Amino acid sequence: DPASDPDITGSPFNPHICGSSLPGWLVTRENIDLIGSSANPPDGAKVLDTNGHGPGGIAQTITGLQPHAAHTLSFYYARHTSWGTAPMTGEIHANGQTVATLVRTSDQTWDDGYQLAEVPLVSSASGTLTIEIRSTTTDQGGNIAYDDFRLAVAPDTIAAWAARNGVSPDPLANEDRDPFTNGFAFLLGSDPTSADPAFTVTPGTSLLVIPVIGDALTAGFDFTPLTSTDLHTWTPSSTPDSGILSLTDTSAPGIDGSRSYTIDPSSHQLFWSLALTSP
């Protein structure tokens, strides 16, 4: 209510919300607008417009979470129908870091329908997560409209794994410079700061055993074994006469296990490699 809340400015018919006037949130920059039925809210009666007098933002801090745990922030978003045709932009921040950049064009207004966004986040070492939604549109009186924010615990992702191990979440990064990138280390459950191999070859049996982490499979990581006799042409293990045969697979999404292969003992010289699939 503009008449009783000192953090609300503007007129009763066009209030600009500042400070702590948005329940559960803190307005961190400038001020914001709440828009009603004209914005076609996907949920409830109003949507958030992060531009008031200028580029605004809102934030809140969630505590008591599991340290370095993966979460998913979801919301619906669309472009304001007014203020010209130039794209409107915004950012999602988590614990002070930019985790998503957003763009809505003149073909993505609330009259054209809202889009669901899902952003992966990782809680801090102390189990806190500060989420901020910011406008980065500086020259328009309206911005992206947001609605129905939700936070859910997500399956373990490479971001959470990297935070626990103190390495980059980039699957292609390789801090220890061993044959396995961080994506492989995540999938195989190996220490990303150690060059020790994650697989084992049993002497005298030609048995190759490769560990596989179920959470990595859930997150979309996997591998394909390849073989070569000359380090020039590589053949998937599923190809007949590849020289390597799959025996068992006790892994599955969400279930840690291992994959075992037997190497053709008649092969005079056989090289093998792993090709990573990442989301």
Side-chain angles (χ1 to χ4, degrees):
D1 180 2
S4 59
D5 192 331
D7 283 335
I8 295 181
T9 61
S11 71
F13 300 101
N14 186 25
H16 290 148
I17 301 173
C18 311
S20 57
S21 289
L22 185 64
W25 298 85
L26 175 68
V27 178
T28 55
R29 310 167 76 214
E30 282 282 352
N31 47 61
I32 63 165
D33 291 334
L34 295 181
I35 305 174
S37 59
S38 62
N40 295 320
D43 179 71
K46 295 181 183 297
V47 300
L48 169 73
D49 171 11
T50 48
N51 269 39
H53 290 140
I58 63 170
Q60 72 167 270
T61 298
I62 301 96
T63 61
L65 303 174
Q66 180 182 344
H68 293 316
H71 295 76
T72 299
L73 174 70
S74 64
F75 54 87
Y76 289 95
Y77 70 126
R79 187 191 184 281
H80 199 299
T81 55
S82 302
W83 309 101
T85 59
M88 293 179 178
T89 57
E91 293 177 342
I92 307 297
H93 290 220
N95 290 339
Q97 302 295 316
T98 303
V99 293
T101 57
L102 307 171
V103 179
R104 295 284 89 181
T105 69
S106 58
D107 296 326
Q108 298 168 315
T109 70
W110 59 53
D111 287 342
D112 299 297
Y114 286 74
Q115 179 181 345
L116 176 67
E118 295 180 309
V119 181
L121 309 176
V122 179
S123 58
S124 71
S126 61
T128 63
L129 186 55
T130 297
I131 299 170
E132 183 177 9
I133 296 89
R134 284 187 179 183
S135 165
T136 53
T137 300
T138 60
D139 58 352
Q140 293 166 318
N143 192 39
I144 296 173
Y146 300 87
D147 198 22
D148 198 14
F149 288 103
R150 302 186 185 209
L151 183 68
V153 176
D156 194 1
T157 66
I158 192 171
W161 172 87
R164 288 195 300 270
N165 287 279
V167 295
S168 168
D170 180 0
L172 299 179
N174 191 5
E175 281 93 334
D176 58 4
R177 299 186 180 182
D178 64 3
F180 299 102
T181 61
N182 286 355
F184 267 126
F186 174 43
L187 175 63
L188 304 181
S190 63
D191 183 352
T193 63
S194 170
D196 292 337
F199 57 86
T200 59
V201 177
T202 305
T205 65
S206 298
L207 183 64
L208 170 66
V209 179
I210 303 175
V212 183
I213 301 302
D215 284 342
L217 294 176
T218 300
F221 291 82
D222 208 335
F223 68 80
T224 300
L226 306 173
T227 64
S228 176
T229 58
D230 57 8
L231 292 177
H232 177 68
T233 302
W234 291 90
T235 302
S237 62
S238 58
T239 303
D241 302 324
S242 66
I244 188 172
L245 178 66
S246 175
L247 292 180
T248 63
D249 183 2
T250 60
S251 66
I255 301 174
D256 295 349
S258 63
R259 297 177 187 173
S260 63
Y261 305 84
T262 184
I263 302 172
D264 184 354
S266 66
S267 298
H268 175 68
Q269 177 174 269
L270 186 69
F271 303 96
W272 64 275
S273 180
L274 301 178
L276 177 70
T277 300
S278 59

